[in-house]
Amino acid sequence: MSMTETGIASGHNYGLREEIKAYWSVRAATFDLSPGHEIFSEPERLAWHRLIVKHLGPGDGRLALDIASGTGVISHLMDDLGFKVTGLDWAEPMLDRARAKAKARGRSISFRMADVENTMEPDATYDVIITRHLVWTLVDPKAAFAEWMRVLKPGGTILIVDGDFVNVSRAERILKALAKAMEKAGLLKADPLHAPAELMQSHNDIVSRVHFSNGARADLVADMLGDAGFESMTIDTNLRDIHKSQAKHWNYLKALSRGIQHRFAIGARKPEG
């Protein structure tokens, strides 16, 4: 096994899941610097609160599992609303930052390492599950959805916030090319850091090999949730309030391009019986 210039290992005995774990471990250092990851304004925080309550209801001390919790951004939003939150992630550097953030903010949130397809959590434990921007990167979504069904209580609900970040429309390509040209010419300010350029090759290689390598469309994800036994499916593509509040932190061309991406929230329920 060898190490690339990005610090991500490679080799014949190094599987895709390990590459994903290594990639997000490296990304942890800059994750919270990017709008769309951390929350940068009160309007965005409130927009997220409205989306969560719309699909999961009020917290009221109910047990919530934040899967692929990263630095704990969504966990904190759930804690705001009165859920008792456990965050799971596979990357130790993400968990280190999540724990430090919770301690600094005086939040009682539990973070622990786990594989999202094999959480090791007890059966029928959680009232709700939430995950943001994970499903499109899953290696085996069928196994993951079965696992999430297992750890939910009967009647428990799930909220998946995700998008198709693979298929880029012609309009989005034009906007991104124009933004890049204007930034290079000094006519438009550069966007805040998202993914370091030196990691993009690793990112693109990983994405080409995950299950949704051709794009995670809402209907495809919903169909797989249905196959896993979830019911009362709701596909919500109206994330306008969140995108509008985030747009203030991007240049206007980047904000326009993000606004036309296929982004969605899917709510579903585990049957009572």
Side-chain angles (χ1 to χ4, degrees):
M1 186 169 64
S2 62
M3 296 294 291
T4 71
E5 63 181 8
T6 64
I8 295 177
S10 62
H12 294 299
N13 296 320
Y14 200 72
L16 178 56
R17 286 180 173 83
E18 286 73 23
E19 288 183 52
I20 292 171
K21 180 178 181 178
Y23 173 81
W24 287 109
S25 294
V26 174
R27 285 290 307 277
T30 57
F31 187 85
D32 281 347
L33 299 179
S34 175
H37 289 171
E38 181 57 282
I39 307 300
F40 284 88
S41 71
E42 193 61 19
E44 182 182 1
R45 187 181 313 280
L46 295 176
W48 276 104
H49 287 169
R50 289 191 293 271
L51 179 72
I52 292 167
V53 172
K54 177 180 178 181
H55 291 282
L56 299 179
D60 294 336
R62 292 186 295 150
L63 299 183
L65 189 64
D66 178 11
I67 295 181
S69 54
T71 63
V73 177
I74 299 300
S75 295
H76 282 256
L77 292 170
M78 298 291 282
D79 186 70
D80 291 344
L81 294 169
F83 289 95
K84 184 173 176 57
V85 188
T86 296
L88 303 182
D89 205 276
W90 205 6
E92 188 65 41
M94 288 285 192
L95 292 168
D96 289 343
R97 284 162 175 77
R99 291 170 184 140
K101 187 190 298 185
K103 183 178 180 180
R105 296 179 181 178
R107 302 297 187 97
S108 181
I109 303 172
S110 174
F111 293 101
R112 49 182 175 260
M113 182 177 288
D115 180 347
V116 300
E117 295 171 10
N118 183 22
T119 65
M120 304 299 288
E121 295 293 315
D123 292 351
T125 299
Y126 292 94
D127 297 288
V128 303
I129 287 176
I130 187 168
T131 184
R132 179 184 69 165
H133 298 172
L134 164 68
V135 167
W136 77 290
T137 70
L138 287 173
V139 176
D140 189 350
K142 181 178 179 181
F145 295 165
E147 173 70 357
W148 304 352
M149 171 72 78
R150 182 186 68 78
V151 301
L152 267 179
K153 295 177 181 178
T157 51
I158 185 170
L159 177 60
I160 292 171
V161 181
D162 225 290
D164 178 359
F165 307 119
V166 174
N167 295 299
V168 180
S169 68
R170 183 171 181 270
E172 187 180 349
R173 285 197 300 270
I174 292 171
L175 286 170
K176 285 183 174 180
L178 181 58
K180 186 175 182 179
M182 291 182 69
E183 287 175 15
K184 188 175 181 180
L187 300 174
L188 196 67
K189 69 174 184 179
D191 280 322
L193 181 67
H194 188 68
E198 63 271 18
L199 289 181
M200 287 310 297
Q201 181 177 346
S202 296
H203 172 275
N204 293 338
D205 181 57
I206 288 169
V207 169
S208 72
R209 291 180 287 146
V210 298
H211 179 87
F212 291 111
S213 59
N214 293 322
R217 309 297 292 184
D219 57 339
L220 297 177
V221 176
D223 285 347
M224 293 193 74
L225 286 170
D227 291 342
F230 286 96
E231 61 182 21
S232 304
M233 215 84 61
T234 302
I235 297 176
D236 186 353
T237 57
N238 183 11
L239 307 184
R240 190 176 302 109
D241 287 349
I242 292 173
H243 296 157
K244 182 179 179 181
S245 61
Q246 292 174 344
K248 297 176 183 178
H249 304 283
W250 301 105
N251 66 54
Y252 69 94
L253 290 177
K254 179 63 176 291
L256 284 174
S257 70
R258 286 174 66 87
I260 62 176
Q261 290 175 337
H262 178 67
R263 294 173 179 257
F264 56 83
I266 300 177
R269 185 170 67 90
K270 178 176 178 175
E272 292 282 357

